[in-house]
Amino acid sequence: MTQNAAPSLDELLAQAPSNWGKWGPEDEVGGLNYLGPEQVVAAAALIRSGKVFTIQRLIGDPKGDPVWPGRTPAVRTQIMDEATWDRQDAPQFPGGLHYADDKIDAFLQGSTQYDALGHVWYGGRIWNGYDARTTVGGMAKAGVEPIAQRGVVSRGVLLDMARFRGKKNLDTAETFTHEDLLACAAHQGVELRKRDILLIRTNYLQLFFDLGDKFYDGFCEPGLVYSPELVEWFADMEIPNLVTDTIANEVTTDPNNGVVLPLHSALMRNLGVTFTEIADLEALAADCAEDRTYEFFYAAAPLKIANASGAPVNPIVVK
Ligand code: UVW
């Protein structure tokens, strides 16, 4: 997907803001440092109706699992079931216990997931300036485990870009900016505050189910598009976590410069914004449209996997 005319990320982001060192030389969770007891208590005050939403997409969906090109969906294998006890060599437990066991072989970025801050890089340096060689054979630095240990709790705000634009889903390669997010929030009657977790709905992955294999033809998801102003806005707003219902949280190839996923570098690598991808925001969005309440309590913790560059998660939203 590299385009010859595209600038290098080093060139594109030469003047871009950075939070490296802001939380010390050993930091591995970046913008999650913005979230402390104050944010948790304030978020808890948003629980009013007691409605609970889980926003993970099903792993092993019989209709298919949308993944980034080159990745493959999780494969679940049944290891033990009642048929196991048809065999002569089946284990026999005093009392007659039988059980089912299974396992999955899965890309850790192949479902709803948190990316570790070291997941992407350029110029030989990952988040906080760690040497990119620390990724070799497993993430020695800025892996997903510190995020998982800490957990993520704050006020979440849904920005329903698809409804705001009057569409069932955003189109291939459709873009929006932070100004559009602000306009969407104003239209929804919700204020965006510093340290909010942003959940952006495009409903684009509906096309994965509607189009089948054709979904990947000319693959270019819709999403946020890079600009220096957008990056400054994320920095000023101290956004700790960006959650979307697309595979990669931004327009895949930037239409202005041809760079693939520049915001992964500008926001995740440089500012320490954690990315949560492939969320299922449909039930939540329908409810928000009905009760006109777009702010809520958000809590998530990815699986604790040593040295991993990401991990599956099933975030919980409570209204
Ligand atoms: C890539 O980094 C390529 O994708 P994602 O952030 O979706 O895991």
Side-chain angles (χ1 to χ4, degrees):
M1 268 188 252
T2 307
Q3 302 196 355
N4 289 336
S8 70
L9 285 160
D10 267 316
E11 289 166 333
L12 185 72
L13 303 178
Q15 309 302 324
S18 163
N19 283 333
W20 291 6
K22 182 168 183 155
W23 296 285
E26 298 300 325
D27 182 72
E28 300 181 288
V29 298
L32 297 185
N33 287 291
Y34 290 130
L35 304 181
E38 193 187 323
Q39 284 70 33
V40 175
V41 171
L46 298 173
I47 299 177
R48 294 171 190 127
S49 66
K51 286 185 275 191
V52 176
F53 301 85
T54 59
I55 63 169
Q56 185 211 327
R57 202 168 258 291
L58 186 64
I59 295 176
D61 189 326
K63 300 191 294 295
D65 292 354
V67 290
W68 177 259
R71 294 181 188 145
T72 46
V75 176
R76 194 191 63 83
T77 307
Q78 197 70 35
I79 305 298
M80 309 271 280
D81 52 29
E82 179 60 5
T84 305
W85 278 269
D86 295 341
R87 300 198 317 248
Q88 291 300 316
D89 63 347
Q92 300 298 331
F93 297 100
L97 180 80
H98 292 187
Y99 58 90
D101 261 4
D102 42 12
K103 63 176 184 176
I104 58 169
D105 182 7
F107 273 83
L108 294 176
Q109 271 91 2
S111 59
T112 312
Q113 112 267 169
Y114 268 74
D115 280 339
L117 289 185
H119 172 53
V120 298
W121 63 90
Y122 62 91
R125 299 267 153 203
I126 65 171
W127 160 249
N128 219 26
Y130 299 120
D131 193 315
R133 290 266 145 206
T134 57
T135 66
V136 175
M139 309 296 288
K141 292 287 183 188
V144 81
E145 190 196 337
I147 295 174
Q149 294 288 358
R150 186 186 176 94
V152 184
V153 178
S154 192
R155 176 184 190 247
V157 175
L158 178 74
L159 295 161
D160 191 340
M161 288 302 298
R163 268 192 179 78
F164 176 53
R165 291 195 169 167
K167 293 174 160 185
K168 196 165 130 294
N169 55 266
L170 296 194
D171 299 320
T172 294
E174 184 170 346
T175 61
F176 48 89
T177 68
H178 62 295
E179 303 282 1
D180 295 316
L181 298 184
L182 288 165
C184 175
H187 176 77
Q188 293 176 174
V190 66
E191 180 196 1
L192 288 185
R193 301 189 191 137
K194 276 195 166 189
R195 306 190 177 189
D196 279 346
I197 294 172
L198 304 183
L199 291 81
I200 302 178
R201 173 178 178 265
T202 68
N203 196 27
Y204 184 67
L205 293 183
Q206 183 55 43
L207 294 184
F208 170 83
F209 300 104
D210 292 349
L211 299 178
D213 287 346
K214 284 196 176 2
F215 172 75
Y216 288 104
D217 292 351
F219 180 76
C220 190
E221 290 192 300
L224 286 167
V225 63
Y226 167 79
S227 70
E229 295 76 17
L230 178 140
V231 179
E232 289 291 350
W233 184 79
F234 268 81
D236 292 348
M237 289 292 287
E238 302 180 341
I239 301 298
N241 188 184
L242 173 64
V243 181
T244 76
D245 61 357
T246 56
I247 297 170
N249 274 17
E250 60 178 302
V251 65
T252 309
T253 303
D254 188 318
N256 302 316
N257 54 40
V259 174
V260 171
L261 304 184
L263 290 177
H264 272 58
S265 291
L267 301 183
M268 187 196 301
R269 174 199 182 263
N270 293 350
L271 294 183
V273 179
T274 46
F275 277 25
T276 309
E277 297 164 327
I278 323 184
D280 181 351
L281 301 177
E282 291 313 291
L284 175 63
D287 189 77
C288 292
E290 198 177 304
D291 72 3
R292 302 296 300 163
T293 301
Y294 286 85
E295 59 173 0
F296 37 74
F297 176 89
Y298 173 98
L303 296 180
K304 296 176 182 177
I305 304 178
N307 304 118
S309 60
V313 66
N314 186 7
I316 292 184
V317 164
V318 189
K319 290 176 90 178

